Amino acid sequence: MTDRYRIAPGASVSLADRTTDDDGGLDKDEGEDRLRDNIDRARDLQERLYAEGEQSILFVFQAMDAGGKDSTTEHVFGPMNPQGVRVASFKAPSTLEKSHDFLWRVHAKAPQKGMIRVFNRSHYEDVLIVKVHGWAEADVIERRYDHIRHFEALLADAGTRVVKVMLNISKDYQLERFRRRLERPDKHWKFNPGDLKERDHWEDYMRAFEVAMERTSTEAAPWYVVPAETRWYRDLVVSQILVDTLEAMDPQYPEPEFDPADYPPGSLS
Amino acid sequence: MTDRYRIAPGASVSLADRTTDDDGGLDKDEGEDRLRDNIDRARDLQERLYAEGEQSILFVFQAMDAGGKDSTTEHVFGPMNPQGVRVASFKAPSTLEKSHDFLWRVHAKAPQKGMIRVFNRSHYEDVLIVKVHGWAEADVIERRYDHIRHFEALLADAGTRVVKVMLNISKDYQLERFRRRLERPDKHWKFNPGDLKERDHWEDYMRAFEVAMERTSTEAAPWYVVPAETRWYRDLVVSQILVDTLEAMDPQYPEPEFDPADYPPGSLS
């Protein structure tokens, strides 16, 4: 079910041709049942990943504001064992971070063996918002795609599966979500009047996403464009990507370094 | 004077054809005078680098044991303003470091803008001792050269000049230095009987150095092979590489953000 959302290496990407609203032909109850099954399966595999301690996952979320990065993270990764899952959120870079190359702060948060790391925003901001606003020269952006590909290949060679998800919404849907945020005092903290101004650059953002995905979707670190307006379906697709990734990694409990037969029932007394 | 020690990109390297003992036709007094001049010049340029805050230097030392990494660092970088110079020594990787890709701990220590970072050993250990002892597969080592080149290009694009120095000594000279360490109780801490065993792999180390330099000496991040047995000359050559690097970077004091004419003599009272 996730293959259709995957960007093949070298493929050109047209977001206008991709749905933002899909339910995969399922009804909501069915979708929620399958989400629960996926989460049970992912929890089991995540425990094996942690016990094995040889591989890791880097799960990157990018989206326009109100695309659902926070809630997808909560719904899919919240039920995992927190000992094995860590979220890193990347906001505007600090003075220290700006005094380094753009991958410095990101590399520091790469997952150690056995762990799942979720990135809420990431190094892709440096070829998205930075490109849209012209905060870096075109040739600098151009080289960043190469640096990103090389960096993700380095992680892959060290046993990290890199998965990148763009949560895809329409401009109208975003406006509706912004309205909702303004109606609910407990959501005001998520609203920033500056977000409205970014809407003026919507088309530029879509083009920046397309180019970024074209230049950086690889076998070792694929991009997925997930329709994100039907939220239970969005969560289901993301959970499926997680399960598929874990199953392909096939983590195994390590062989015990003792012989369990040396400790028969009742021997620990 | 340093060009002859530089490895041109793509050149093949034969350490057997390179001198380990050279004095550049200078006598010691002359050499020490020039070293002092270089240090004064480097101190001035380093202050500009720090004030400018736009560029940085990564100075990597690699050598066989007793090659003089510690003393060259002390003699050349010791006289700099310590506020702008930091040394990182890389020993056998910790458990945490081993649970990441081999560049993770190194990237964390990349210099921030305005700084000089000295690496006493480095990521090159992962294609030297690791290769000599077969602690990684040949294809893993092979990909590491690419990862290193890409990583150093990332730093270069962010304004870091990467300079790599191999302090070149002969196997006989090393033995003589080991003897000296054993004769002096205050040098015993630098001796490790295991170092004697590494001497059995001398030729393998030389070949590993040659391949590493052939694969990773680039315009943006050149290797230098510095003859290191005549220690005052070794320090002079390294100080010259530092001065040449700083002069090529041409750091400038930033324009003041105020008009000095607004603060005439006597106005601060």
Side-chain angles (χ1 to χ4, degrees), chain A residues 101-120:
Chain A
D101 69 89
F102 78 107
L103 293 174
W104 181 78
R105 66 176 183 161
V106 169
H107 200 172
K109 299 290 185 186
Q112 66 183 102
K113 290 178 194 297
M115 302 293 290
I116 296 176
R117 173 71 79 171
V118 180
F119 277 3
N120 186 332

Side-chain angles (χ1 to χ4, degrees), chain A residues 95-96 98-104 107-113 143-144 147 150-151 153-155 157-158, chain B residues 95-96 98-104 107-113 143-144 147 150-151 153-155 157-158:
Chain A
T95 304
L96 175 64
K98 277 194 277 194
S99 79
H100 284 280
D101 69 89
F102 78 107
L103 293 174
W104 181 78
H107 200 172
K109 299 290 185 186
Q112 66 183 102
K113 290 178 194 297
R143 284 198 301 278
R144 281 184 182 171
H147 290 315
H150 294 147
F151 167 63
L154 168 71
L155 299 185
D157 271 354
Chain B
T95 304
L96 175 63
K98 277 193 277 193
S99 80
H100 284 280
D101 69 89
F102 79 107
L103 293 174
W104 181 78
H107 200 172
K109 298 290 186 188
Q112 68 182 100
K113 289 178 194 295
R143 284 198 302 277
R144 282 184 180 171
H147 290 314
H150 294 148
F151 167 64
L154 168 71
L155 299 185
D157 271 354

Side-chain angles (χ1 to χ4, degrees), chain B residues 13-264:
Chain B
V13 181
S14 168
L15 286 169
D17 297 338
R18 289 180 170 264
T19 176
T20 55
D21 191 8
D22 192 0
D23 60 12
L26 303 171
D27 66 32
K28 188 175 175 183
D29 285 348
E30 219 175 342
E32 288 179 342
D33 281 350
R34 288 179 56 176
L35 174 61
R36 270 188 294 274
D37 289 347
N38 276 349
I39 282 171
D40 288 344
R41 180 80 181 119
R43 278 176 56 88
D44 175 60
L45 287 162
Q46 183 251 314
E47 182 173 285
R48 289 168 184 265
L49 184 79
Y50 186 83
E52 181 193 65
E54 292 294 334
Q55 308 176 80
S56 61
I57 294 178
L58 175 57
F59 213 102
V60 175
F61 284 114
Q62 287 288 161
M64 297 299 285
D65 284 324
K69 297 182 298 295
D70 294 2
S71 60
T72 311
T73 298
E74 185 177 354
H75 298 165
V76 176
F77 293 94
M80 302 293 113
N81 185 335
Q83 186 156 258
V85 178
R86 285 184 198 149
V87 180
S89 297
F90 293 95
K91 309 198 186 281
S94 69
T95 304
L96 175 63
E97 289 166 349
K98 277 193 277 193
S99 80
H100 284 280
D101 69 89
F102 79 107
L103 293 174
W104 181 78
R105 65 176 184 159
V106 169
H107 200 172
K109 298 290 186 188
Q112 68 182 100
K113 289 178 194 295
M115 302 294 288
I116 297 175
R117 172 71 80 173
V118 180
F119 277 2
N120 187 333
R121 304 185 188 272
S122 68
H123 43 303
Y124 284 95
E125 294 294 332
D126 294 284
V127 292
L128 292 169
I129 190 171
V130 171
K131 183 180 188 186
V132 165
H133 289 281
W135 293 335
E137 300 293 328
D139 64 312
V140 169
I141 301 287
E142 202 52 39
R143 284 198 302 277
R144 282 184 180 171
Y145 301 123
D146 294 335
H147 290 314
I148 288 173
R149 263 200 330 276
H150 294 148
F151 167 64
E152 293 176 355
L154 168 71
L155 299 185
D157 271 354
T160 302
R161 296 275 177 139
V162 183
V163 176
K164 300 168 292 195
V165 169
M166 189 244 185
L167 298 173
N168 194 23
I169 59 171
S170 66
K171 197 174 174 185
D172 287 346
Y173 176 86
Q174 187 193 53
L175 194 63
E176 179 196 317
R177 301 301 300 175
F178 282 171
R179 279 200 197 101
R180 187 88 56 107
R181 287 182 180 179
L182 284 169
E183 283 161 13
R184 289 180 49 177
D186 65 324
K187 296 289 182 193
H188 283 178
W189 70 278
K190 294 200 121 194
F191 185 78
N192 176 343
D195 297 345
L196 287 175
K197 262 190 79 179
E198 290 301 300
R199 285 172 59 76
D200 296 342
H201 304 286
W202 189 274
E203 290 309 314
D204 292 338
Y205 272 108
M206 292 304 107
R207 188 63 200 136
F209 264 111
E210 288 168 348
V211 174
M213 293 192 283
E214 288 169 357
R215 296 290 303 274
T216 65
S217 200
T218 61
E219 285 297 339
W223 270 104
Y224 292 84
V225 179
V226 173
E229 295 181 13
T230 301
R231 285 170 292 155
W232 59 264
Y233 185 70
R234 169 200 72 193
D235 294 343
L236 174 59
V237 172
V238 169
S239 72
Q240 192 65 52
I241 293 170
L242 176 61
V243 167
D244 292 351
T245 302
L246 280 161
E247 286 185 341
M249 296 168 83
D250 193 24
Q252 300 294 326
Y253 290 113
E255 286 296 312
E257 290 175 9
F258 59 90
D259 184 349
D262 291 344
Y263 304 87

Side-chain angles (χ1 to χ4, degrees), chain A residues 209-225:
Chain A
F209 264 111
E210 287 169 350
V211 175
M213 293 191 284
E214 287 168 357
R215 296 290 303 275
T216 65
S217 201
T218 61
E219 286 298 339
W223 270 104
Y224 293 84
V225 178

